[in-house]
Amino acid sequence: MNERLNIAMWSGPRNLSTALMRSFGNREDVISILDEPLYAAYLKSTGKDHPMRDEVIASQDSNPDEVAKICTQSKGSGICYQKHMVQHLHNTFNSQWILQLTNCFLIRNPEEVVDSFLLKLPDAKFEDFGFDQQLNIFDLVARNMDATPLVIDATELRNNPENILKKACDRLSISWDSRMLEWKSGLRSYDGVWAPHWYPSVESSTCFKKYKKSTNTFSMKVKSIIDKAMPGYEKLSAYKI
């Protein structure tokens, strides 16, 4: 690869996004990884009281325009993989700069997301899940490119990682690298400072694990969030590889 490729993977929380970051991080041609580069800007702008809020803000540039410059830089040869949370691209921020990136979308059935996220952030509101924001970003990107953006379903990735990752590489016009299927356990230097709170399951992982459907009964709160989120998920699901 002779040119820099800035891959932005837009995901909601609890979507397997950190495992996918591990997968790409194992590629030989990845020169840098940006883990949720807009997190500090999002927290500072919204005043959201997330776990480790002060540490997050202190660890990153909290000016969204400066973050945009970091994400769109063109120096270097190879892949810059960027893991983005869709809700971090707040509606008060300029979003046009993302059109300079190779934008991809990691989706997951809301039934597999809501309970898991509420365990980490019990007071989360619908907007904190990023369901609507992901659809808005997808629409922005789709309106401004000739082809449909790459969409990966997290559950299908877990159940058939080699097939899905090979398709993704083909769509991105990058070579297949079998090292994307396995990685060493532990945290990484590129992990955000929030990793101890959010990444314990990924820290011990070494590969994608097959999905086992939960038999838990949803509470009324969880069911209401799922029902509200499902139409957007189904719309994006129609474009998955």
Side-chain angles (χ1 to χ4, degrees):
M1 180 177 292
N2 297 322
E3 297 180 355
R4 182 186 180 97
L5 178 63
N6 292 320
I7 297 176
M9 187 64 67
W10 295 96
S11 171
R14 320 312 288 171
N15 271 22
L16 211 71
S17 58
T18 309
L20 187 54
M21 180 171 67
R22 288 284 186 273
S23 175
F24 270 87
N26 241 21
R27 290 181 60 95
E28 187 177 28
D29 53 3
V30 168
I31 57 174
S32 64
I33 292 183
L34 301 179
D35 186 12
E36 302 183 26
L38 284 163
Y39 197 4
Y42 166 77
L43 291 178
K44 191 169 183 180
S45 176
T46 62
K48 294 282 187 181
D49 186 20
H50 279 205
M52 303 182 69
R53 169 187 163 85
D54 292 342
E55 292 91 335
V56 173
I57 292 175
S59 71
Q60 295 180 317
D61 197 317
S62 58
N63 182 331
D65 294 329
E66 293 302 314
V67 176
K69 293 178 183 177
I70 295 170
C71 293
T72 58
Q73 63 179 297
S74 58
K75 293 182 179 179
S77 175
I79 295 172
C80 170
Y81 183 84
Q82 306 174 19
K83 171 194 163 192
H84 288 283
M85 292 290 104
V86 290
Q87 67 272 27
H88 293 174
L89 188 65
H90 196 253
N91 57 20
T92 60
F93 299 167
N94 170 40
S95 60
Q96 292 302 303
W97 60 272
I98 75 168
L99 299 176
Q100 300 176 49
L101 309 174
T102 298
N103 294 285
C104 312
F105 297 83
L106 179 63
I107 64 173
R108 193 177 187 187
N109 190 317
E111 292 182 352
E112 301 163 16
V113 171
V114 178
D115 263 339
S116 176
F117 188 53
L118 288 174
L119 287 174
K120 294 290 185 177
L121 201 67
D123 296 326
K125 298 178 174 57
F126 182 77
E127 66 185 42
D128 297 314
F129 290 85
F131 294 118
D132 286 350
Q133 296 95 318
Q134 188 171 45
L135 185 57
N136 290 339
I137 296 171
F138 177 88
D139 287 342
L140 169 66
V141 173
R143 287 195 307 268
N144 288 276
M145 63 182 292
D146 296 330
T148 303
L150 171 64
V151 178
I152 297 172
D153 187 284
T155 299
E156 294 185 5
L157 173 61
R158 289 182 67 173
N159 289 337
N160 199 345
E162 184 169 354
N163 179 52
I164 297 299
L165 289 171
K166 282 183 174 179
K167 287 182 178 180
C169 289
D170 183 61
R171 285 282 300 274
L172 292 167
S173 297
I174 59 177
S175 62
W176 164 242
D177 189 333
S178 61
R179 283 169 292 193
M180 297 179 75
L181 295 173
E182 293 184 88
W183 52 85
K184 292 182 180 180
S185 62
L187 296 178
R188 301 291 190 272
S189 60
Y190 56 71
D191 287 339
V193 69
W194 52 87
H197 179 80
W198 292 101
Y199 297 174
S201 61
V202 177
E203 182 179 358
S204 61
S205 74
T206 59
C207 63
F208 295 103
K209 298 294 180 70
K210 286 190 178 296
Y211 172 67
K212 295 181 180 179
K213 187 176 179 61
S214 172
T215 57
N216 294 341
T217 302
F218 297 127
S219 68
M220 289 186 65
K221 176 182 178 179
V222 170
K223 184 68 165 55
S224 67
I225 295 174
I226 291 171
D227 289 345
K228 190 174 181 180
M230 194 60 74
Y233 165 73
E234 290 175 344
K235 180 177 179 179
L236 291 176
S237 184
Y239 299 102
K240 66 187 179 183
I241 55 174

